[in-house]
Every structure is written in C-alpha cells, then in structure tokens.
Amino acid sequence: MDYIKQLQHLTDTSHASLAQKIGISSTTLNRILAGNHISQQTENKVVDFLHKNIDQAKLFLDETYVGNMDHATEMNISCVFAITSHAFHDFKKIVYPLGWRKGDEVKAAGKDIAMLGDLLSTTKSDELQTFYTKTLTKYNEVAGLQYLCPYILAVMETLETISIERINDLEIVIDTRSEFFADNLTDCQKILATYLPLIGCHVKELKVSSCKSRDLIGLQYADFVANLSTRGSQEILQDAQINPTPRFKIEVQHLLY
C-alpha cells in the first residue's frame, strides 16, 4: 500500500486529528499505518483524502504562442503537476533512449502532431496531471508583473481544477524568459502565498522560480504539452489526458489588479 508512506508524511498533527480529517477512527488509522488489511470503503476514503492532501509536488509551466511569436497577443500555458520525482521516467526513457544529461533538450516545435500525441499518451501516469489554459501574453494592468500575471492565473486555475486542499511543499517552476526578474518572481510567490488559500489550497512551503528548460525534464515535458495543446485535436488531447482549465474567472483576475 503505497499510500502508507504518504500518510506518514502528513502526520504533523495528532493521529486523532488526521483520522478525523480522513473520516475514520484513530484505531483504523493505526491499522493502516501498521500495514494491516482495511476494507475497500476505508481505502476509498484514504485515497480521496490523499488526492486532496499532498506532501510534495512540483508544477511546471511553459507557453506556446498562438500565431507569430513577435505579434502574438494570446498563448497557451501548460501546467504539469507532478507528485513524485520519477514521474517523468517514461518520457525521459523514450525521448532520450541513450540517457539524459543536464543540458540535453528535444523541443516539441515542428514535430508531427500524431507522434507528439502518441508520446504523451504513452508517458501519462497517475503521478502526473497535465493542463493547459488559453490566456493573453501579458496583462498591462499589473505594473511589473504584466508578463508573469498569465502564469499566476494559470497556477490558480490549475490548482482550483485539481481541488487540492493542502500541499506541504510546492515548487512552481516556469520556463525562463528574458522578461522575468528575481524581484518579479518574489512578488509572484508572495501573491500566490496570499491568494491560494482563498481558492481552498493551503501550501505550507511555497517556492516560485524560473529555469532553463534544458536543465529540467519537467519543463521539457511542459513544452510538449503546451505545443500539443495548440495543435492537437480534442481526441488527441483526451488520449494524452491533457485537460483545459476553466476560463479565468473575472473575480480571480481582479485579485491581481
């Protein structure tokens, strides 16, 4: 039962409090942590709880412009939510059959759509949830954050869609752009730390950073998702379990203005 380890990481409160949150007795929780047999009904409660309460997670974001990059006013932002460090193992094995080293990068641009769809369908897993959202390339109403604002909103939309209630340690990594500066990323982190609880997602430790995609497999996966989201048919996206987030709520956008 792989969820035993997950529960052990979430016992920063008393067993009684944790059991109450799950909707089981303390005795049953102790049985679970001891590896004893439990009923299907109890297992369903535990699994549902763990879907909403996570120890560690990373959210990788990349973008693909809609139309000519130099004149585009819209883009698709991919949001790849990973809950384990080996979530991209199959993707890495297929794209880099001889092994991957930091700095190696295969881009999705120009690749055959059907091939991209097959690749992401093959490498999907329970440890990954992938989304994309359509957004403006920038929001001039937010001085200093006009380029980061679309990503902030995409994070909010993604986490609200997943309905995560609690994450102990969340790292958000955005593919580096020349428009991003350290102070802006710090402001982005402060904004998300303030407003994520308002959409029901409580994060104990939050970090927002940007990185070159050639240095992280997660960002390379996000590049493939973003590219396919602008070119793939609905059927291809469904097969790869790439889901659109709901359109931005006006009231959520107003939080940033």
Side-chain angles (χ1 to χ4, degrees):
M1 291 182 285
D2 58 0
Y3 52 74
I4 295 177
K5 197 171 193 180
Q6 293 175 266
L7 283 174
Q8 289 171 337
H9 284 294
L10 293 171
T11 53
D12 56 347
T13 58
S14 69
H15 278 204
S17 176
L18 181 60
Q20 184 178 25
K21 290 177 182 178
I22 299 173
I24 59 178
S25 68
S26 295
T27 302
T28 300
L29 177 60
N30 289 333
R31 283 178 55 80
I32 295 171
L33 295 175
N36 295 326
H37 176 75
I38 56 175
S39 69
Q40 186 62 53
Q41 183 180 13
T42 298
E43 183 173 343
N44 291 342
K45 287 183 178 181
V46 172
V47 170
D48 183 62
F49 174 79
L50 290 175
H51 280 165
K52 298 177 180 178
N53 296 266
I54 297 172
D55 180 36
Q56 293 182 323
K58 290 188 177 182
L59 186 60
F60 298 95
L61 287 83
D62 196 10
E63 77 290 324
T64 294
Y65 295 94
V66 178
N68 185 291
M69 179 177 174
D70 294 329
H71 305 287
T73 59
E74 294 183 336
M75 62 183 178
N76 279 13
I77 296 179
S78 61
C79 297
V80 178
F81 187 77
I83 59 173
T84 66
S85 59
H86 58 278
F88 303 102
H89 173 77
D90 290 341
F91 174 79
K92 183 165 58 176
K93 188 175 179 180
I94 293 174
V95 177
Y96 302 100
L98 300 179
W100 177 78
R101 292 184 301 177
K102 194 173 182 179
D104 294 342
E105 182 172 20
V106 173
K107 302 291 287 185
K111 300 290 189 300
D112 179 75
I113 296 175
M115 186 204 75
L116 288 180
D118 288 342
L119 172 62
L120 294 182
S121 295
T122 301
T123 56
K124 65 188 178 185
S125 76
D126 293 337
E127 298 163 344
L128 287 175
Q129 295 188 64
T130 53
F131 301 88
Y132 72 93
T133 188
K134 295 183 181 293
T135 177
L136 299 178
T137 55
K138 60 180 178 178
Y139 288 84
N140 290 319
E141 297 88 345
V142 189
L145 290 177
Q146 61 266 39
Y147 293 102
L148 272 169
C149 199
Y151 301 88
I152 296 173
L153 294 169
V155 169
M156 289 181 175
E157 286 287 337
T158 298
L159 293 179
E160 186 174 17
T161 301
I162 301 175
S163 298
I164 300 294
E165 294 178 357
R166 174 191 175 191
I167 306 175
N168 278 347
D169 188 344
L170 174 62
E171 183 177 359
I172 298 169
V173 188
I174 308 172
D175 189 24
T176 294
R177 289 177 52 179
S178 59
E179 297 91 351
F180 298 163
F181 298 97
D183 289 348
N184 300 146
L185 291 167
T186 298
D187 290 339
C188 175
Q189 182 171 309
K190 290 177 180 177
I191 289 170
L192 287 170
T194 299
Y195 290 114
L196 283 181
L198 298 181
I199 60 172
C201 181
H202 299 272
V203 178
K204 188 174 181 181
E205 298 290 338
L206 174 66
K207 179 181 178 182
V208 177
S209 63
S210 66
C211 183
K212 295 178 180 178
S213 55
R214 65 171 178 260
D215 293 336
L216 285 177
I217 286 292
L219 284 176
Q220 293 186 32
Y221 194 95
D223 169 66
F224 276 64
V225 173
N227 187 281
L228 189 61
S229 74
T230 63
R231 301 196 291 141
S233 65
Q234 185 175 358
E235 182 180 2
I236 289 176
L237 296 179
Q238 286 177 342
D239 286 344
Q241 293 183 0
I242 300 172
N243 302 300
T245 59
R247 294 181 64 85
F248 292 142
K249 298 179 177 61
I250 294 175
E251 61 268 24
V252 173
Q253 293 187 44
H254 284 169
L255 293 174
L256 303 176
Y257 295 164

